């Protein structure tokens, strides 16, 4: 099993959700986060004063999948989240050692 964590632009969430649904991946956790990478933030003007915004709003999407699905899920996220501009995000893949469904006590792939 794999845990896939993607940091994406908030405007691309619906496209990512649809891409994952087309692969029969229906469970995900989405968290609002802030951060920066190579773009290092930007400047905004508010009431005539310029402010530096160092941390940009992003979404962290977490998906637990069977190992056989992980490459397809990563490709789907990349294609759906890509705009071709700086700040599109990153995808991380971690080994997932164990999963337990709290309600039923199921473990392993059946708990996904």
């Amino acid at each position: 099993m794999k845990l896939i964590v993607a940091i994406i632009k908030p405007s691309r969430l619906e496209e990512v959700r649809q891409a994952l649904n087309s692969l029969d991946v229906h469970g995900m956790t989405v968290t609002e986060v802030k951060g920066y990478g190579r773009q290092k933030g930007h400047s905004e003007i508010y009431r005539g004063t310029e402010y530096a915004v160092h941390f940009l709003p992003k979404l962290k999407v977490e998906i637990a999948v069977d190992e056989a699905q992980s490459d397809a899920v990563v490709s789907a996220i990349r294609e759906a989240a890509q705009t071709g501009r700086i700040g599109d995000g990153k995808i991380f893949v971690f080994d997932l050692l164990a999963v337990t469904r709290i309600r039923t006590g199921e473990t392993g792939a059946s708990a996904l």
Side-chain angles (χ1 to χ4, degrees):
M1 293 177 292
K2 299 288 185 181
L3 177 64
I4 299 171
V5 177
I7 308 298
I8 63 170
K9 290 181 175 184
S11 62
R12 304 305 293 176
L13 179 62
E14 185 58 27
E15 288 84 354
V16 169
R17 187 190 67 76
Q18 290 174 358
L20 293 174
N21 278 344
S22 71
L23 295 175
D24 287 330
V25 175
H26 300 290
M28 72 170 72
T29 301
V30 178
T31 309
E32 292 181 0
V33 296
K34 291 184 179 194
Y36 70 91
R38 290 185 178 164
Q39 66 199 83
K40 298 188 176 37
H42 66 276
S43 297
E44 289 185 0
I45 296 176
Y46 177 72
R47 293 189 178 185
T49 305
E50 187 173 350
Y51 294 94
V53 178
H54 296 289
F55 294 98
L56 301 174
K58 302 286 183 179
L59 294 178
K60 180 166 82 170
V61 179
E62 299 170 289
I63 309 117
V65 298
D66 192 59
E67 193 161 346
Q69 278 188 300
S70 65
D71 289 339
V73 169
V74 168
S75 293
I77 293 170
R78 187 187 60 76
E79 291 170 11
Q82 184 178 30
T83 66
R85 295 189 302 271
I86 194 165
D88 277 349
K90 296 238 182 343
I91 302 172
F92 306 96
V93 180
F94 301 96
D95 286 325
L96 190 57
L97 300 177
V99 177
T100 302
R101 185 184 307 266
I102 294 173
R103 179 178 53 88
T104 63
E106 294 172 286
T107 60
S110 61
L112 294 176

